Amino acid sequence: MRLLGVGVGLCAAALVVGLSAAPAQADGELPDLKGGGGAGWALKDTGKDARFRGLAAVSRSTAWVAGSKGTVLRTLDGGRSWQDVSPPGAVAEGLELRDIEAFDARRAVALSIGEGEASRVLRTEDGGATWTETFRNPDPRAFYDCLTFFDSRHGLAMSDPVDGKFRILSTDDGGRSWRVLPTEGMPAALPGEAGFAASGQCLVSAGPRDAWLATGGGATARVLHSADRGLTWRAAEATVPAGDPARGVFALAFRDRTKGLAVGGDYRTGQASPQAAAVSSDGGRTWSGAATPPPAYRSGAAWYPYSRGTALAVGPTGTDVTLDGGRTWRTLEAGSFDTVDCAPDTGCWAAGEKGRVARLERR
C-alpha cells in the first residue's frame, strides 16, 4: 500500500514442537517472557540509519535486514558485526526494500516495493556478494507489498489489487523466476482495500501449501487464506478496525495451519488503535478480538518457537507479549520496531527505524 511507502513461512514447521524439544543455547538460557524482567531486546549497532522493515531470522547468530535506500545487512555473529551486502543497483536507485526471506546464511530473496517498475525481486546465492534481479513489475497499476516462502523452492509475492483483485506472483525455483497466477480463484477486493508494506508480514505461510494475506483500507479488515499455494483464496473478516486508508491488519503470524495472529490498527501517530489484535484457531476462517489487545498500533508479529501460546508483537511505541495464544497481551518494553521474526533455534530479532536492530536476550 502506497501510504506506508518471515520470514514467517520458512520456520513455521518448527514452531509447533513442544517446549521440551527446544535446542540448547550456546550463549545462555532461553529468554524468560513470563515477566519479572527476564527478557528484553538487546540493541545491536548496525552503523546505519536506514529504516529496516524487512527481516529474516535464520538463527540466533545469523539474520538479514532490508530497508530504505536499498540497504541490506547480514550478521553471522549474533549482531556483534554487520556486513553491508546491499545490491548496488538498489542503492543507486534508492529502492525501498520492505521484505526479505532467507533460506540460510548465503541464500536470500528481497522485495522492493512501489508502483510499476519500482516493485522488484532480487536474489543472492553467495551471502549478498552478488545479486540477481529475477522480477521487475511491468504493470504500472501493480504495487507489490510482501513475499513469503513455503520452502526453499516454492514462494509467493502479493500486489495490491489490479482490476479489482489482489495479484499473486509465484515461484517454484527458489525465486529465480516468477509468474503471475490467474485471478479466477481470488475474491473481489473491497473498495480502497490493499496490503500494508510495513513489516514484510502482510503475506505469510505455514507448512507446504497454506498462505494468508492481510488487508486494510477497506470498510472492513480481512484475511484471505489459500490452501493451494495461491491458486484459490477465501476471505474472512477480521476484528481489527478498518474503514480508513490508515487502518487494518498490518501483520499476520501462523504457528501452524490452524493457529494464527493478526495485529494492526491505525498507523498514524497519536491515533487510537483499539482492538489492534485478533486470533484464529481455524486457519483464518474466523477471527475473534483479543480480550486484552496491545495498547497501540502494531506492525509486526511472530510466534515464539517451542511454545504453544507465546508470541511477540512490535510497533513504533513498544513490544507486547502474549502467553495465551493471543487472547491477552501485555507490554514487554518500550522502544520502536517495525518488524519481528523468530528462528527455529529460538533466535528472535526485531528491526525498525534509524538502523535499529535487536535480538531477544535473557537479562
Side-chain angles (χ1 to χ4, degrees), residues 1-357:
M1 179 179 278
R2 295 150 180 78
L3 285 168
L4 283 175
V6 30
V8 175
L10 290 179
C11 64
L15 304 188
V16 299
V17 236
L19 182 60
S20 61
Q25 299 303 306
D27 54 354
E29 299 177 54
L30 297 177
D32 177 16
L33 294 171
K34 294 182 179 180
W41 295 117
L43 288 171
K44 309 296 180 179
D45 184 15
T46 63
K48 301 291 183 179
D49 63 357
R51 186 162 196 166
F52 295 120
R53 295 184 186 269
L55 168 65
V58 176
S59 67
R60 287 182 60 81
S61 61
T62 301
W64 301 68
V65 291
S68 58
K69 308 173 187 176
T71 308
V72 179
L73 305 182
R74 183 187 68 157
T75 182
L76 302 176
D77 57 12
R80 288 188 291 275
S81 63
W82 294 86
Q83 299 170 316
D84 187 336
V85 295
S86 305
V91 174
E93 295 189 52
L95 296 181
E96 287 284 337
L97 300 176
R98 294 293 183 89
D99 199 354
I100 188 165
E101 303 287 327
F103 308 114
D104 50 40
R106 296 184 59 80
R107 298 175 298 159
V109 179
L111 172 75
S112 75
I113 67 157
E115 296 176 338
E117 292 190 352
S119 285
R120 305 176 195 177
V121 179
L122 306 170
R123 188 179 191 277
T124 182
E125 297 184 6
D126 55 13
T130 61
W131 293 84
T132 302
E133 182 181 299
T134 60
F135 173 78
R136 181 178 295 206
N137 172 37
D139 191 336
R141 302 169 299 167
F143 184 111
Y144 285 86
D145 298 294
C146 294
L147 58 84
T148 190
F149 276 85
F150 303 95
D151 52 43
S152 62
R153 291 183 56 83
H154 302 92
L156 303 174
M158 62 154 284
S159 163
D160 289 340
V162 176
D163 294 329
K165 293 185 176 182
F166 285 95
R167 176 171 288 181
I168 303 296
L169 275 182
S170 176
T171 179
D172 60 7
D173 57 10
R176 294 178 181 87
S177 64
W178 298 83
R179 65 186 180 95
V180 175
L181 294 181
T183 60
E184 287 80 4
M186 176 67 72
L190 302 176
E193 190 175 31
F196 290 106
S199 60
Q201 295 175 329
C202 59
L203 178 68
V204 302
S205 56
R209 305 189 68 83
D210 288 272
W212 295 265
L213 184 163
T215 82
T220 60
R222 301 198 298 174
V223 176
L224 281 63
H225 171 233
S226 173
D228 55 12
R229 289 185 183 156
L231 292 175
T232 60
W233 298 80
R234 173 185 290 183
E237 291 189 8
T239 57
V240 175
D244 184 278
R247 295 201 297 259
V249 177
F250 282 71
L252 298 168
F254 273 79
R255 191 183 68 200
D256 51 41
R257 68 188 311 265
T258 62
K259 188 66 172 178
L261 301 171
V263 300
D266 190 321
Y267 77 80
R268 293 172 295 193
T269 302
Q271 294 295 310
S273 291
Q275 299 176 314
V279 62
S280 176
S281 59
D282 57 11
R285 288 190 292 273
T286 60
W287 293 85
S288 57
T292 305
Y297 156 72
R298 295 294 180 252
S299 56
W303 289 96
Y304 188 71
Y306 309 105
S307 172
R308 294 186 59 81
T310 302
L312 297 161
V314 300
T317 61
T319 297
D320 305 296
V321 62
T322 178
L323 303 177
D324 56 14
R327 291 187 292 276
T328 62
W329 295 82
R330 64 170 179 81
T331 299
L332 183 68
E333 61 179 56
S336 175
F337 292 108
D338 292 313
T339 187
V340 59
D341 191 26
C342 292
D345 71 347
T346 73
C348 292
W349 297 79
E353 62 181 345
K354 299 178 181 178
R356 282 170 56 88
V357 180

